Amino acid sequence: MKLLIKNGRVVDPSQQLDAICDILAEDGKIVKIGKDLPDQAEEIYDATGKIVAPGFIDMHTHLREPGLEAKESIRTGTMAAAAGGITTIACMPNTKPAISTSIVVSGIKERAAREGYVNVEVIGSISKDEAGKELSEMGDMLEKGAVAFSDDGHYVDSSRLLMNAAKYMTSFDAPLVSHSIESELNADGYMHEGAVSAKMGVPGVPSVAEDIAVARDVLVAGYTGARVHIAHVASKGAVDIIRQAKAKGYPVTAEATVHHLTLTDEACLGYSTATRVSPPLRSRDHVDALRAGLLDGTIDIIVTDHAPHAPEEKDVEFRKAPNGFCGLETSVGVVLTDLYHTGVLTLGQVVEKMSCRPAEIFQLKGGKLAEGAPADITILDLEKEWTVDSKKFYTIGKVTPFEGKKCKGKAVAAVVAGRIVMKDGELCKK
Ligand code: DOR
């Protein structure tokens, strides 16, 4: 099967590529990139006026399967990813059972290959069942294709356990993904502690809960030499600590979510459960520090932390709602609207943070447009105006803090292994 993408502006900073040209894919791989390639393919996509980028990669998705399919499944989550223009996702292990064993890793990969619309990478848990007591089958999970380990949803409270995991990983070079929020300080709050929480009369979580947790985990990286990737950085203190750790040469990388980069805690003022998330949405000074970190390379990548819940679970009062909301179908549009069109990031930086760099950090084959690379491609229309409407989402957990947002810029096609899986927002038959 041959696919020819014609006349697009091909943008890939990893290959120093920004030019109008064509891409030919065959049998799942890119076979040629060049000008005026002959029209010899079963399928031809005219990308005139569009951006052709390496497939976007989201390294922080909750697919909820196995066990929590009332919130999401491999099928619905990958449909949401394709609809949002994301061609690879990595699923987090806080499922039921947790992803702690090689058999669960294999099961997810097999089901994803059969039912998934996009590529699925698996992040196994650091501790068995994410219970924080003993290490999971990390080596066996790596053998079955896990790319990283995390107890996402929880901090690894035991420093001894984290040190053991880190020492173990030095022989494998897979990153530990740290959900860095100190558990005791996190326990009593429902949002960011500050002027807005005081005004709302809602107990807050102090941002220092994040700083403390990040500090320990980057120190463990520095001491052991194991790679530590800090998940969903949201505090200015954490940005500073990561910056210092990188300056010292510690093997640390970091991500920020679309919502932490674009929303403040003022979004919580209406007590909407669509704004409940962990770490919480923070005040403007934290958002500004995150953006500065994104620009100077302290924050390596942008993720969604797509964390869907069943609609009825979110349809409760503010304090009772679970943390998290969907993100796969809004991330590209919100980033283009609030970070690209406002001049915070260049287009090259968007592609780097949402495709090239995630592939580098997690040692994936995608994230680049080069001959021989997987034909995973995201096509963007930078000018397309649209409004976020969760009724149109494929995800089960439709709650989003971006409901009704007017966006400029959208992924208009997604190609996975040389097959168009989404065109103009519609999914193509599996
Ligand atoms: O808000 C969140 N929800 N943050 C997390 O880290 C976990 C996630 C979930 O699993 O629902």
Side-chain angles (χ1 to χ4, degrees), residues 62 64 94 152-153 179 232 277-278 305 307 309 323-324:
H62 295 271
R64 306 300 195 197
N94 57 342
D152 189 63
H179 173 104
H232 41 48
V277 69
S278 177
D305 196 359
H309 295 284
N323 283 316

Side-chain angles (χ1 to χ4, degrees), residues 302-319:
I302 299 174
V303 299
T304 65
D305 196 359
H306 175 82
H309 295 284
E312 62 274 17
E313 291 176 285
K314 285 293 241 181
D315 192 14
V316 292
E317 67 188 78
F318 190 76
R319 295 189 195 198

Side-chain angles (χ1 to χ4, degrees), residues 63-80:
L63 278 182
R64 306 300 195 197
E65 191 171 353
L68 300 167
E69 292 85 354
K71 298 172 190 277
E72 194 75 290
S73 67
I74 291 170
R75 187 177 149 77
T76 58
T78 57
M79 287 168 99

Side-chain angles (χ1 to χ4, degrees), residues 109-122:
K109 290 202 79 88
E110 274 167 33
R111 184 160 291 187
R114 258 203 327 270
E115 297 178 7
Y117 280 72
V118 302
N119 306 307
V120 174
E121 300 293 348
V122 179

Side-chain angles (χ1 to χ4, degrees), residues 141-342:
M141 286 195 277
L142 279 174
E143 224 168 74
K144 296 295 174 207
V147 295
F149 297 97
S150 178
D151 273 4
D152 189 63
H154 308 280
Y155 189 48
V156 177
D157 293 318
S158 162
S159 301
R160 185 196 291 131
L161 191 82
L162 187 75
M163 280 289 281
N164 283 341
K167 285 183 195 157
Y168 188 30
M169 279 306 107
T170 53
S171 356
F172 294 101
D173 199 30
L176 297 175
V177 179
S178 166
H179 173 104
S180 303
I181 310 166
E182 200 280 326
S183 304
E184 286 182 354
L185 292 174
N186 189 43
D188 304 326
Y190 303 89
M191 62 182 291
H192 173 70
E193 182 175 82
V196 177
S197 66
K199 191 167 169 183
M200 290 171 65
V202 172
V205 179
S207 59
V208 73
E210 184 175 334
D211 311 346
I212 291 168
V214 169
R216 185 202 67 179
D217 288 8
V218 302
L219 288 170
V220 167
Y223 187 83
T224 59
R227 293 207 288 136
V228 171
H229 176 79
I230 307 293
H232 41 48
V233 177
S235 76
K236 58 185 176 186
V239 175
D240 272 346
I241 293 164
I242 296 162
R243 188 177 287 121
Q244 286 171 40
K246 286 189 164 193
K248 287 185 174 150
Y250 293 179
V252 171
T253 53
E255 66 186 36
T257 69
V258 175
H259 47 274
H260 289 117
L261 286 163
T262 59
L263 296 173
T264 67
D265 54 354
E266 303 225 334
C268 304
L269 276 167
Y271 298 86
S272 164
T273 60
T275 62
R276 280 288 312 276
V277 69
S278 177
L281 300 175
R282 300 201 188 280
S283 47
R284 175 54 59 192
D285 47 332
H286 291 278
V287 176
D288 289 345
L290 266 191
R291 289 180 174 196
L294 197 61
L295 283 180
D296 71 12
T298 303
I299 306 289
D300 298 85
I301 65 174
I302 299 174
V303 299
T304 65
D305 196 359
H306 175 82
H309 295 284
E312 62 274 17
E313 291 176 285
K314 285 293 241 181
D315 192 14
V316 292
E317 67 188 78
F318 190 76
R319 295 189 195 198
K320 296 214 168 108
N323 283 316
F325 41 73
C326 66
L328 289 168
E329 286 159 275
T330 47
S331 65
V332 173
V334 172
V335 165
L336 291 176
T337 307
D338 288 353
L339 299 178
Y340 166 70
H341 280 298
T342 53

